[in-house]
Amino acid sequence: MFENQRGRNQMALIDDPLTRRGCQLWLERVLGFYGEDGGVDVQVIEDQIILNDRTVEYLYSEYTPLETPYVAGSRPMLEAVVAEHVRQGMTDREKALALMRRVRDNQDGGLARPGLFTGGTEEELLKRGALMCNEVSRLYVCLCQMAGLPARLHCSHISGHMMTEVYAEGKWGWIDPMKGIAPVTDDEKPASAWELLQDPALFERQPKRVWADCRPPAVTFGTQQRDLRNVAREMARNRDCYFHPREAMALGNYFVWEHRRYSYPWRIEPADPQRLARARHAEQLNRRAAGWPDHYFSDSLFDEPLKKR
Protein backbone atom coordinates (compact mmCIF):
# COMPACT_ATOMS: atom_id res chain seq x y z
CA MET A 1 0.00 0.00 0.00
CA PHE A 2 1.14 3.56 -0.75
CA GLU A 3 3.92 2.12 -2.91
CA ASN A 4 4.08 5.28 -5.04
CA GLN A 5 3.70 7.63 -2.09
CA ARG A 6 6.60 6.67 0.12
CA GLY A 7 10.32 7.30 0.27
CA ARG A 8 11.42 10.30 -1.77
CA ASN A 9 7.85 10.75 -2.93
CA GLN A 10 6.23 10.69 0.52
CA MET A 11 5.30 14.37 0.29
CA ALA A 12 2.62 13.34 -2.23
CA LEU A 13 0.50 12.41 0.80
CA ILE A 14 0.65 15.95 2.21
CA ASP A 15 -2.03 18.51 1.33
CA ASP A 16 -0.84 21.54 3.32
CA PRO A 17 1.56 23.50 1.04
CA LEU A 18 3.89 24.64 3.83
CA THR A 19 4.08 21.14 5.28
CA ARG A 20 4.74 19.69 1.84
CA ARG A 21 7.40 22.35 1.23
CA GLY A 22 8.98 21.52 4.58
CA CYS A 23 9.17 17.84 3.64
CA GLN A 24 10.80 18.68 0.31
CA LEU A 25 13.37 20.88 2.05
CA TRP A 26 14.10 18.15 4.60
CA LEU A 27 14.96 15.79 1.74
CA GLU A 28 17.20 18.45 0.18
CA ARG A 29 19.00 18.88 3.51
CA VAL A 30 19.52 15.14 3.95
CA LEU A 31 20.83 14.72 0.41
CA GLY A 32 23.02 17.79 0.78
CA PHE A 33 24.61 16.28 3.87
CA TYR A 34 24.83 12.60 2.92
CA GLY A 35 24.71 12.71 -0.88
CA GLU A 36 22.39 10.99 -3.33
CA ASP A 37 24.02 7.64 -2.54
CA GLY A 38 24.69 8.43 1.09
CA GLY A 39 24.39 4.96 2.57
CA VAL A 40 22.07 3.81 5.32
CA ASP A 41 20.92 7.26 6.39
CA VAL A 42 19.57 7.88 2.89
CA GLN A 43 18.53 4.29 2.21
CA VAL A 44 16.17 4.20 5.21
CA ILE A 45 14.15 6.98 3.59
CA GLU A 46 12.94 4.68 0.83
CA ASP A 47 10.44 2.89 3.09
CA GLN A 48 9.11 5.93 4.95
CA ILE A 49 5.42 6.85 4.81
CA ILE A 50 3.87 10.08 6.05
CA LEU A 51 1.71 9.64 9.16
CA ASN A 52 -1.66 11.34 8.73
CA ASP A 53 -5.38 10.61 8.56
CA ARG A 54 -5.01 8.75 5.27
CA THR A 55 -2.23 6.42 6.40
CA VAL A 56 -2.75 5.93 10.13
CA GLU A 57 -4.84 2.76 9.86
CA TYR A 58 -2.28 1.05 7.63
CA LEU A 59 0.73 2.24 9.63
CA TYR A 60 -0.73 0.93 12.87
CA SER A 61 -1.83 -2.41 11.46
CA GLU A 62 -0.01 -3.98 8.50
CA TYR A 63 3.00 -1.75 7.93
CA THR A 64 5.44 -3.10 10.52
CA PRO A 65 5.50 -6.86 11.22
CA LEU A 66 5.22 -7.85 14.86
CA GLU A 67 7.53 -10.83 14.37
CA THR A 68 11.25 -10.30 14.95
CA PRO A 69 13.05 -13.10 13.02
CA TYR A 70 16.54 -12.28 14.22
CA VAL A 71 18.96 -15.23 14.02
CA ALA A 72 21.00 -15.52 17.21
CA GLY A 73 24.73 -15.19 16.67
CA SER A 74 24.43 -12.87 13.66
CA ARG A 75 25.55 -9.73 15.50
CA PRO A 76 27.25 -10.76 18.75
CA MET A 77 28.30 -7.29 19.92
CA LEU A 78 24.72 -6.06 19.87
CA GLU A 79 23.55 -9.28 21.50
CA ALA A 80 25.97 -8.68 24.38
CA VAL A 81 24.42 -5.27 25.04
CA VAL A 82 20.93 -6.73 25.06
CA ALA A 83 22.01 -9.55 27.39
CA GLU A 84 23.56 -7.05 29.78
CA HIS A 85 20.47 -4.88 30.10
CA VAL A 86 17.49 -7.16 29.49
CA ARG A 87 16.83 -9.58 32.32
CA GLN A 88 14.45 -12.45 32.77
CA GLY A 89 11.13 -11.42 34.25
CA MET A 90 11.11 -7.93 32.74
CA THR A 91 7.97 -6.75 30.99
CA ASP A 92 8.32 -5.63 27.39
CA ARG A 93 7.99 -2.01 28.49
CA GLU A 94 10.74 -2.47 31.07
CA LYS A 95 12.98 -3.96 28.38
CA ALA A 96 12.31 -1.01 26.08
CA LEU A 97 13.15 1.49 28.82
CA ALA A 98 16.30 -0.36 29.89
CA LEU A 99 17.62 -0.33 26.33
CA MET A 100 16.56 3.31 25.91
CA ARG A 101 18.72 4.29 28.88
CA ARG A 102 21.68 2.33 27.51
CA VAL A 103 21.45 4.04 24.14
CA ARG A 104 20.71 7.44 25.67
CA ASP A 105 23.94 7.21 27.64
CA ASN A 106 26.03 5.92 24.72
CA GLN A 107 27.83 9.22 24.34
CA ASP A 108 31.47 10.13 24.17
CA GLY A 109 32.77 13.59 24.94
CA GLY A 110 35.89 13.14 22.83
CA LEU A 111 35.95 12.00 19.22
CA ALA A 112 32.28 11.26 18.77
CA ARG A 113 31.20 14.74 17.77
CA PRO A 114 28.73 15.24 14.91
CA GLY A 115 30.91 17.96 13.39
CA LEU A 116 33.89 15.61 13.15
CA PHE A 117 32.56 12.40 11.66
CA THR A 118 29.35 10.47 11.24
CA GLY A 119 28.28 7.07 10.00
CA GLY A 120 29.07 3.44 10.64
CA THR A 121 27.29 0.23 11.53
CA GLU A 122 25.41 -0.10 14.79
CA GLU A 123 28.42 -1.91 16.24
CA GLU A 124 30.61 1.04 15.30
CA LEU A 125 28.09 3.45 16.78
CA LEU A 126 28.38 1.58 20.08
CA LYS A 127 32.15 1.88 20.01
CA ARG A 128 32.43 5.56 19.22
CA GLY A 129 29.34 6.82 20.99
CA ALA A 130 26.49 7.80 18.69
CA LEU A 131 25.33 11.38 19.11
CA MET A 132 23.23 12.16 16.04
CA CYS A 133 19.53 11.38 16.38
CA ASN A 134 19.37 9.18 13.28
CA GLU A 135 22.29 7.08 14.50
CA VAL A 136 20.96 6.77 18.05
CA SER A 137 17.53 5.80 16.74
CA ARG A 138 18.65 3.06 14.38
CA LEU A 139 20.92 1.63 17.08
CA TYR A 140 18.00 1.59 19.50
CA VAL A 141 15.63 0.00 16.99
CA CYS A 142 18.15 -2.79 16.37
CA LEU A 143 18.63 -3.53 20.06
CA CYS A 144 14.88 -3.60 20.68
CA GLN A 145 14.31 -6.01 17.81
CA MET A 146 17.04 -8.30 19.12
CA ALA A 147 15.23 -8.29 22.47
CA GLY A 148 12.08 -9.44 20.69
CA LEU A 149 10.42 -6.02 20.61
CA PRO A 150 9.06 -4.77 17.28
CA ALA A 151 10.50 -1.30 16.69
CA ARG A 152 10.66 1.28 13.92
CA LEU A 153 11.87 4.77 13.09
CA HIS A 154 9.78 7.90 13.52
CA CYS A 155 10.77 11.19 11.91
CA SER A 156 9.65 14.79 12.30
CA HIS A 157 11.04 16.13 9.04
CA ILE A 158 10.41 19.85 9.40
CA SER A 159 11.78 20.08 12.95
CA GLY A 160 14.66 17.83 11.90
CA HIS A 161 14.66 14.97 14.41
CA MET A 162 14.53 11.17 14.24
CA MET A 163 13.00 9.11 17.03
CA THR A 164 11.36 5.68 17.34
CA GLU A 165 8.29 3.65 18.18
CA VAL A 166 8.42 0.35 20.09
CA TYR A 167 5.63 -2.20 20.39
CA ALA A 168 5.00 -3.18 24.02
CA GLU A 169 1.96 -3.89 26.16
CA GLY A 170 -0.09 -4.53 23.04
CA LYS A 171 0.45 -1.14 21.40
CA TRP A 172 3.01 1.13 19.80
CA GLY A 173 4.75 3.62 22.08
CA TRP A 174 6.83 6.59 20.96
CA ILE A 175 10.34 6.85 22.44
CA ASP A 176 13.11 9.37 21.85
CA PRO A 177 16.19 7.30 22.74
CA MET A 178 18.59 10.18 22.16
CA LYS A 179 17.01 12.23 24.94
CA GLY A 180 15.52 9.44 27.03
CA ILE A 181 11.87 10.44 26.69
CA ALA A 182 9.19 7.73 26.77
CA PRO A 183 5.82 9.42 27.41
CA VAL A 184 2.66 7.72 28.56
CA THR A 185 -1.02 8.44 28.11
CA ASP A 186 -3.20 9.66 30.95
CA ASP A 187 -4.06 6.03 31.74
CA GLU A 188 -0.35 5.13 31.98
CA LYS A 189 -0.09 3.27 28.66
CA PRO A 190 2.76 3.89 26.19
CA ALA A 191 1.81 6.90 24.06
CA SER A 192 2.10 6.37 20.31
CA ALA A 193 3.25 9.03 17.87
CA TRP A 194 -0.31 9.27 16.57
CA GLU A 195 -1.73 9.79 20.06
CA LEU A 196 0.85 12.49 20.75
CA LEU A 197 0.05 14.17 17.45
CA GLN A 198 -3.64 14.24 18.40
CA ASP A 199 -2.87 15.58 21.88
CA PRO A 200 0.60 17.17 22.12
CA ALA A 201 -0.36 18.56 25.53
CA LEU A 202 0.28 15.05 26.86
CA PHE A 203 3.85 16.28 27.29
CA GLU A 204 2.52 18.66 29.95
CA ARG A 205 1.02 15.75 31.87
CA GLN A 206 3.92 13.34 32.22
CA PRO A 207 4.69 11.66 35.55
CA LYS A 208 7.90 12.31 37.45
CA ARG A 209 9.53 9.09 36.26
CA VAL A 210 9.32 10.25 32.62
CA TRP A 211 11.01 13.53 33.52
CA ALA A 212 13.65 11.64 35.51
CA ASP A 213 14.72 9.67 32.42
CA CYS A 214 15.14 12.74 30.21
CA ARG A 215 18.70 13.84 29.38
CA PRO A 216 18.60 17.10 27.39
CA PRO A 217 21.45 17.24 24.85
CA ALA A 218 22.18 20.89 25.64
CA VAL A 219 22.58 22.80 28.89
CA THR A 220 20.74 26.07 28.28
CA PHE A 221 19.69 26.84 31.83
CA GLY A 222 21.92 26.49 34.86
CA THR A 223 24.97 24.23 34.73
CA GLN A 224 23.43 20.76 34.90
CA GLN A 225 22.03 18.68 32.06
CA ARG A 226 19.16 17.53 34.29
CA ASP A 227 18.19 21.02 35.48
CA LEU A 228 14.40 20.89 35.39
CA ARG A 229 14.30 23.96 33.17
CA ASN A 230 16.27 22.06 30.53
CA VAL A 231 13.92 19.09 30.83
CA ALA A 232 10.91 21.40 30.56
CA ARG A 233 12.39 22.89 27.40
CA GLU A 234 12.68 19.41 25.86
CA MET A 235 9.09 18.57 26.76
CA ALA A 236 7.95 21.84 25.18
CA ARG A 237 10.03 21.17 22.07
CA ASN A 238 8.22 17.87 21.66
CA ARG A 239 4.82 19.47 22.20
CA ASP A 240 5.37 22.57 20.07
CA CYS A 241 7.74 21.35 17.34
CA TYR A 242 8.08 17.60 16.81
CA PHE A 243 4.30 17.25 17.16
CA HIS A 244 3.37 20.60 15.64
CA PRO A 245 0.08 20.31 13.69
CA ARG A 246 1.91 21.24 10.47
CA GLU A 247 4.82 18.85 11.03
CA ALA A 248 5.65 16.37 8.25
CA MET A 249 5.78 13.21 10.32
CA ALA A 250 6.77 9.81 8.93
CA LEU A 251 7.29 6.22 10.06
CA GLY A 252 9.89 3.91 8.56
CA ASN A 253 10.97 0.30 8.95
CA TYR A 254 14.57 -0.67 9.62
CA PHE A 255 15.37 -4.26 10.59
CA VAL A 256 18.46 -5.53 12.40
CA TRP A 257 18.38 -8.78 10.43
CA GLU A 258 18.50 -6.94 7.08
CA HIS A 259 21.73 -5.01 7.66
CA ARG A 260 23.34 -6.49 4.55
CA ARG A 261 20.86 -4.49 2.45
CA TYR A 262 22.54 -1.27 3.53
CA SER A 263 25.91 0.40 3.21
CA TYR A 264 27.47 2.15 6.20
CA PRO A 265 29.97 4.77 5.02
CA TRP A 266 31.83 7.16 7.26
CA ARG A 267 31.60 10.87 6.55
CA ILE A 268 33.74 13.75 7.75
CA GLU A 269 32.11 16.56 5.77
CA PRO A 270 28.86 17.24 3.91
CA ALA A 271 28.57 15.73 0.45
CA ASP A 272 27.35 19.03 -1.04
CA PRO A 273 27.89 21.97 1.35
CA GLN A 274 26.16 24.50 -0.89
CA ARG A 275 23.07 22.36 -1.34
CA LEU A 276 22.98 21.77 2.42
CA ALA A 277 23.31 25.48 3.22
CA ARG A 278 20.55 26.45 0.79
CA ALA A 279 18.22 23.84 2.24
CA ARG A 280 18.90 24.87 5.84
CA HIS A 281 18.25 28.53 5.06
CA ALA A 282 15.02 27.77 3.23
CA GLU A 283 13.93 25.45 6.04
CA GLN A 284 14.23 28.21 8.62
CA LEU A 285 12.11 30.54 6.51
CA ASN A 286 9.52 27.82 5.99
CA ARG A 287 9.38 27.02 9.71
CA ARG A 288 8.76 30.68 10.46
CA ALA A 289 5.98 30.80 7.89
CA ALA A 290 4.43 27.60 9.28
CA GLY A 291 4.32 28.97 12.82
CA TRP A 292 7.16 27.21 14.63
CA PRO A 293 7.66 28.80 18.08
CA ASP A 294 10.46 31.21 18.93
CA HIS A 295 12.07 28.73 21.31
CA TYR A 296 12.69 26.36 18.39
CA PHE A 297 15.05 28.94 16.89
CA SER A 298 16.72 29.82 20.20
CA ASP A 299 16.54 27.67 23.33
CA SER A 300 17.15 30.72 25.49
CA LEU A 301 13.74 32.11 24.48
CA PHE A 302 11.96 29.29 26.31
CA ASP A 303 10.48 30.61 29.56
CA GLU A 304 7.50 28.36 30.28
CA PRO A 305 7.35 26.56 33.65
CA LEU A 306 6.05 23.17 32.47
CA LYS A 307 5.00 20.96 35.33
CA LYS A 308 5.09 17.22 35.80
CA ARG A 309 2.31 15.32 37.51
Side-chain angles (χ1 to χ4, degrees):
M1 189 173 288
F2 303 108
E3 294 303 320
N4 298 319
Q5 298 166 306
R6 64 174 71 195
R8 299 193 189 195
N9 197 39
Q10 60 188 276
M11 57 283 298
L13 286 164
I14 301 172
D15 295 326
D16 183 287
L18 286 175
T19 303
R20 186 168 58 250
R21 172 68 171 158
C23 190
Q24 292 165 339
L25 291 171
W26 153 78
L27 183 59
E28 275 295 294
R29 169 169 47 83
V30 170
L31 297 178
F33 188 85
Y34 291 105
E36 293 284 345
D37 301 312
V40 62
D41 295 298
V42 172
Q43 292 167 326
V44 295
I45 292 172
E46 301 306 325
D47 192 51
Q48 288 181 1
I49 298 177
I50 290 293
L51 173 60
N52 61 21
D53 289 332
R54 278 186 273 176
T55 63
V56 61
E57 183 177 355
Y58 171 66
L59 290 173
Y60 283 92
S61 58
E62 305 172 40
Y63 176 63
T64 304
L66 299 184
E67 299 79 22
T68 53
Y70 174 73
V71 178
S74 303
R75 305 184 71 174
M77 180 181 289
L78 301 184
E79 289 180 26
V81 173
V82 174
E84 180 182 358
H85 295 276
V86 173
R87 298 184 299 277
Q88 188 173 6
M90 279 183 165
T91 66
D92 285 349
R93 179 68 169 177
E94 288 170 340
K95 294 175 185 177
L97 294 177
L99 293 172
M100 177 196 75
R101 295 175 188 121
R102 171 63 178 85
V103 174
R104 176 200 66 192
D105 297 339
N106 189 56
Q107 299 180 17
D108 185 301
L111 292 178
R113 297 185 183 276
L116 183 59
F117 59 85
T118 61
T121 65
E122 286 75 37
E123 288 83 354
E124 290 166 334
L125 299 181
L126 276 173
K127 291 178 183 178
R128 72 169 173 83
L131 286 177
M132 293 185 71
C133 59
N134 51 319
E135 298 173 341
V136 174
S137 293
R138 62 181 169 88
L139 171 59
Y140 179 62
V141 162
C142 286
L143 294 176
C144 284
Q145 291 169 353
M146 295 179 77
L149 305 174
R152 58 192 183 183
L153 300 172
H154 168 257
C155 305
S156 289
H157 294 327
I158 296 177
S159 297
H161 193 42
M162 181 176 282
M163 300 141 290
T164 70
E165 278 195 318
V166 179
Y167 193 84
E169 298 186 9
K171 69 188 299 284
W172 288 99
W174 178 88
I175 292 178
D176 184 343
M178 177 182 175
K179 301 175 183 179
I181 304 176
V184 294
T185 60
D186 290 329
D187 60 355
E188 295 289 330
K189 300 295 185 182
S192 70
W194 181 249
E195 289 169 322
L196 292 165
L197 182 60
Q198 302 309 300
D199 184 12
L202 271 171
F203 286 103
E204 301 172 10
R205 307 194 298 272
Q206 291 305 302
K208 292 180 180 180
R209 67 179 186 279
V210 173
W211 280 59
D213 269 330
C214 180
R215 299 290 186 276
V219 178
T220 302
F221 304 103
T223 60
Q224 301 298 317
Q225 185 184 41
R226 297 178 65 184
D227 187 305
L228 290 181
R229 291 171 295 176
N230 293 319
V231 178
R233 185 201 66 233
E234 289 303 329
M235 294 297 180
R237 180 173 284 249
N238 286 316
R239 180 197 63 192
D240 299 339
C241 305
Y242 304 149
F243 291 92
H244 190 286
R246 302 184 91 167
E247 179 59 84
M249 195 173 294
L251 292 171
N253 287 321
Y254 178 68
F255 301 122
V256 65
W257 53 87
E258 292 187 349
H259 62 285
R260 298 190 188 281
R261 287 181 49 196
Y262 303 96
S263 61
Y264 297 88
W266 292 84
R267 184 169 301 284
I268 60 173
E269 59 185 14
D272 188 337
Q274 292 184 343
R275 184 180 188 181
L276 175 62
R278 288 194 301 268
R280 283 176 168 168
H281 176 69
E283 279 187 302
Q284 291 290 62
L285 296 178
N286 193 70
R287 290 173 186 130
R288 281 290 191 194
W292 257 241
D294 288 341
H295 67 80
Y296 175 85
F297 303 95
S298 175
D299 287 339
S300 61
L301 294 177
F302 174 73
D303 61 357
E304 182 182 353
L306 264 72
K307 294 181 174 63
K308 53 185 177 292
R309 56 181 165 93

